[in-house]
Amino acid sequence: MTTRRPTVVQVARRAGVSIASVSRVLNGKAARPDTTDRVRAAAAELGYLPDAAARSLKLGSGRQVTLAVDDIGNPVYSELMQGVVDGLSGSGARLSIASTGQEPSELSALVRNLSRGLADGLVISPLRRSSELLRSLVDSPIPVVVVGNLADAVPLDSVRIDSAGAVRLAYRHLQSMGAARIAFVGGPPDTAPGSARLTAFRQLAQHDDGRVLVTGSFTVRSGERAWNKLAALSKAERPDAVLAANDLLALGILRGALSAGVAVPEQLAVAGIDDITFARVFSPALTSVSLRSRERGRLAAELLQHRMSEPSAPPQMRTVTPRLVVRESTCRS
Amino acid sequence: MTTRRPTVVQVARRAGVSIASVSRVLNGKAARPDTTDRVRAAAAELGYLPDAAARSLKLGSGRQVTLAVDDIGNPVYSELMQGVVDGLSGSGARLSIASTGQEPSELSALVRNLSRGLADGLVISPLRRSSELLRSLVDSPIPVVVVGNLADAVPLDSVRIDSAGAVRLAYRHLQSMGAARIAFVGGPPDTAPGSARLTAFRQLAQHDDGRVLVTGSFTVRSGERAWNKLAALSKAERPDAVLAANDLLALGILRGALSAGVAVPEQLAVAGIDDITFARVFSPALTSVSLRSRERGRLAAELLQHRMSEPSAPPQMRTVTPRLVVRESTCRS
DNA sequence: TTGTAAGCGTTATCAT
DNA sequence: ATGATAACGCTTACAA
């Protein structure tokens, strides 16, 4: 039960060598074959595992990566997380999750409190990019990779997405399906993706009469509320297509419309952004623009590992191309 | 940029006291008021944060909790994770995720490799409970809480669920809605929940002619495949209700049925188990039995913290009661 | 109440 | 090639 974990000392004793030799062998440095064997054998017999805390203390850094997001409940972040796991796999690094839940971005505070040993590297995907947060990130004593579109001047590794392109893809698709009045259901405008996608839509629709609704959160509930507002419009004003700023909002719209007996896509076409795993499962399956969350997570993990091994390299950037996935909610084939 | 993190030594120098006083003050031990003030001030000015690795090494344990699950992609586990976060919040403990992804449960290996400092406590929800895994858990040098139904003899803290009760709830409900032939779509029988739910169904349906299908995984795809088998049955054999072993399977059935033009619930009623967040969003919304994943996560975190502070207390057990949530997929109101 | 010093388990430097 | 030893930053007897 309370067997004390074996340390290098026990291994050394058992192998009849010094602790230095044990450390060397276990870290793959050269040693005489028989020394190597004896140490390996002793370690195996004792079930020795190095103490991560001690190693981290000595080395000045462990292999602990933290992923910080605003809301782990959103499937997008689960996928991002899976991507990070993919990118980390094989490196021996471990992943921690830090989610601030619903609170208005406590991420800055969280970032400041990441002490070494708890986190040796950070992947962060902040909904809101306050200058305070950016400052904490730039000043962070540990390597940071941001998943999101930073201003070019910010000296941080980042994985970006072409937001405007994503919105355009969906918008053009809806148009090509014959939609005349396309409404936009946006997320909170004070968030980075919220404002980027809103701006992109406004630019695209400036000559069309696209109605714009803004919601308080990127959730299904908000989508349902937005639907209610849409349903209250006069017949002439009612859109024949909705472009939602993310899939959760789109699903809310979808649910609202179907409950009200509106046929999708016949009477109302609906498209989202993110292409969460569930998008294809719904009925009708949701047309969406994939932002490749999993790939972004993987790329972020790669950038982070690069930076952890090469702390003073110039900041790098990866950009992921959005991809339209047409399904039943816009096009009954 | 590469500012070396301040340590107790710098704080002590700045405050004009010894490192011992710094440690004492920062850990809330009594000290003279002016000493306290000077230390606090110095720490604040320097932006001092204790090194988690060093503290963990010295104390023999940090506050790092690991959650190990088979597949983070399943929303049930996201909810479990959120529950663990809830239960940990305020305790200063941090959460790590370990997921083996799709691989045939490598959890045993994972558990054996949890070195101290990386994980000071473990919450594990294993799909398969091999005796090998159980042994690693019982022998684990760090506190462990299992989310799942252990044999009573296993001396481990656990959070359990009444599987048989959950299946019964759904079965009786389907019967009460007038279903005559209820089919069961089970998960992999070599998993703990897979076999428990299957056994429960067989017991309930032994006098009825309930058909039983078994799938290879708890996923939407498997559900869709199961639907195809169901659809291939002769009209006389076809069920008028399906009870799926989890919501992902149920959603697959739902999707298959709707695509085939089968009306749900009129021609086929569908019920799942787990009550994932998305269950209510689907159309028709999915009837499901809630296993209160989030609450189970919270309870697991509480048990773990208790054990971490009281290592030799007798094993505890919490049992969560399943709850039927009736929605449109079984009952058009 | 405060300071000195030991030690947690590891890696790395320096002799040998 | 190997062994003795110092050091990473922290907490905690023990002394003063």
Side-chain angles (χ1 to χ4, degrees), chain B residues 196-209:
Chain B
R197 293 169 199 181
L198 177 61
T199 307
F201 180 84
R202 285 226 164 96
Q203 212 140 50
L204 281 167
Q206 56 188 328
H207 302 305
D208 314 335
D209 66 339

Side-chain angles (χ1 to χ4, degrees), chain A residues 104-121:
Chain A
S105 193
E106 293 300 324
L107 281 183
S108 316
L110 193 153
V111 168
R112 257 195 310 279
N113 288 335
L114 289 174
S115 54
R116 192 182 63 67
L118 271 186
D120 306 297

Side-chain angles (χ1 to χ4, degrees), chain B residues 165-242:
Chain B
V167 175
R168 193 181 331 114
L169 237 33
Y171 192 77
R172 296 285 181 238
H173 167 66
L174 288 170
Q175 283 185 318
S176 78
M177 297 312 293
R181 274 191 310 285
I182 303 178
F184 181 75
V185 173
D190 64 332
T191 62
S195 81
R197 293 169 199 181
L198 177 61
T199 307
F201 180 84
R202 285 226 164 96
Q203 212 140 50
L204 281 167
Q206 56 188 328
H207 302 305
D208 314 335
D209 66 339
R211 180 171 287 267
V212 169
L213 256 60
V214 153
T215 66
S217 64
F218 282 111
T219 59
V220 174
R221 300 265 181 210
S222 283
E224 291 174 302
R225 278 192 286 268
W227 162 257
N228 290 336
K229 288 190 193 156
L230 248 28
L233 293 177
S234 75
K235 203 149 195 169
E237 291 179 304
R238 213 160 310 160
D240 52 5
V242 171

Side-chain angles (χ1 to χ4, degrees), chain B:
Chain B
M1 192 77 217
T2 318
T3 354
R4 221 179 162 64
R5 297 174 68 85
T7 73
V8 277
V9 176
Q10 344 276 353
V11 177
R13 252 204 270 286
R14 180 149 192 145
V17 299
S18 75
I19 61 168
S21 290
V22 172
S23 175
R24 277 189 290 255
V25 168
L26 265 26
N27 289 325
K29 321 256 194 218
R32 225 171 34 202
D34 72 302
T35 308
T36 306
D37 292 346
R38 293 224 303 283
V39 170
R40 290 246 166 81
E45 286 163 23
L46 261 38
Y48 169 80
L49 280 177
D51 181 308
R55 166 178 262 165
S56 173
L57 174 59
K58 177 62 188 171
L59 260 25
S61 163
R63 314 199 48 61
Q64 191 78 236
V65 172
T66 293
L67 172 65
V69 298
D70 289 277
D71 174 21
I72 261 298
N74 188 331
V76 172
Y77 293 122
S78 300
E79 288 170 36
L80 191 72
M81 179 171 90
Q82 289 180 65
V84 174
V85 170
D86 293 346
L88 251 33
S89 84
S91 76
R94 275 215 154 7
L95 178 65
S96 279
I97 301 303
S99 172
T100 55
Q102 18 274 39
E103 290 306 306
S105 193
E106 292 300 323
L107 280 184
S108 316
L110 194 153
V111 168
R112 257 195 312 280
N113 287 335
L114 288 176
S115 54
R116 191 184 62 68
L118 273 186
D120 305 297
L122 175 69
V123 174
I124 186 170
S125 179
L127 232 27
R128 291 161 235 264
R129 293 196 289 265
S130 66
S131 57
E132 180 198 2
L133 175 60
L134 252 28
R135 210 172 316 119
S136 329
L137 291 178
V138 173
D139 294 344
S140 169
I142 63 174
V144 173
V145 174
V146 175
V147 176
N149 296 18
L150 262 25
D152 288 329
V154 181
L156 248 25
D157 294 316
S158 64
V159 178
R160 307 185 175 201
I161 192 75
D162 176 9
S163 285
V167 175
R168 193 181 331 114
L169 237 33
Y171 192 77
R172 296 285 181 238
H173 167 66
L174 288 170
Q175 283 185 318
S176 78
M177 297 312 293
R181 274 191 310 285
I182 303 178
F184 181 75
V185 173
D190 64 332
T191 62
S195 81
R197 293 169 199 181
L198 177 61
T199 307
F201 180 84
R202 285 226 164 96
Q203 212 140 50
L204 281 167
Q206 56 188 328
H207 302 305
D208 314 335
D209 66 339
R211 180 171 287 267
V212 169
L213 256 60
V214 153
T215 66
S217 64
F218 282 111
T219 59
V220 174
R221 300 265 181 210
S222 283
E224 291 174 302
R225 278 192 286 268
W227 162 257
N228 290 336
K229 288 190 193 156
L230 248 28
L233 293 177
S234 75
K235 203 149 195 169
E237 291 179 304
R238 213 160 310 160
D240 52 5
V242 171
L243 168 44
N246 84 341
D247 283 356
L248 260 25
L249 289 170
L251 259 18
I253 301 284
L254 212 56
R255 165 126 200 99
L258 293 175
S259 298
V262 173
V264 176
E266 291 78 6
Q267 294 174 263
L268 183 78
V270 177
I273 293 181
D274 273 348
D275 190 33
I276 60 178
T277 324
F278 279 112
R280 67 163 274 278
V281 178
F282 274 76
S283 177
L286 181 69
T287 291
S288 188
V289 177
S290 170
L291 264 27
R292 304 171 192 249
S293 298
R294 191 155 181 169
E295 187 182 351
R296 282 186 291 156
R298 199 174 49 69
L299 288 170
E302 285 174 10
L303 286 182
L304 186 63
Q305 288 179 287
H306 182 261
R307 171 136 325 268
M308 283 168 52
S309 62
E310 204 120 6
S312 56
Q316 291 199 50
M317 186 202 305
R318 294 279 182 282
T319 301
V320 157
T321 308
R323 186 168 42 94
L324 177 69
V325 183
V326 177
R327 299 202 184 87
E328 303 157 359
S329 70
T330 56
C331 159
R332 189 68 79 179
S333 60

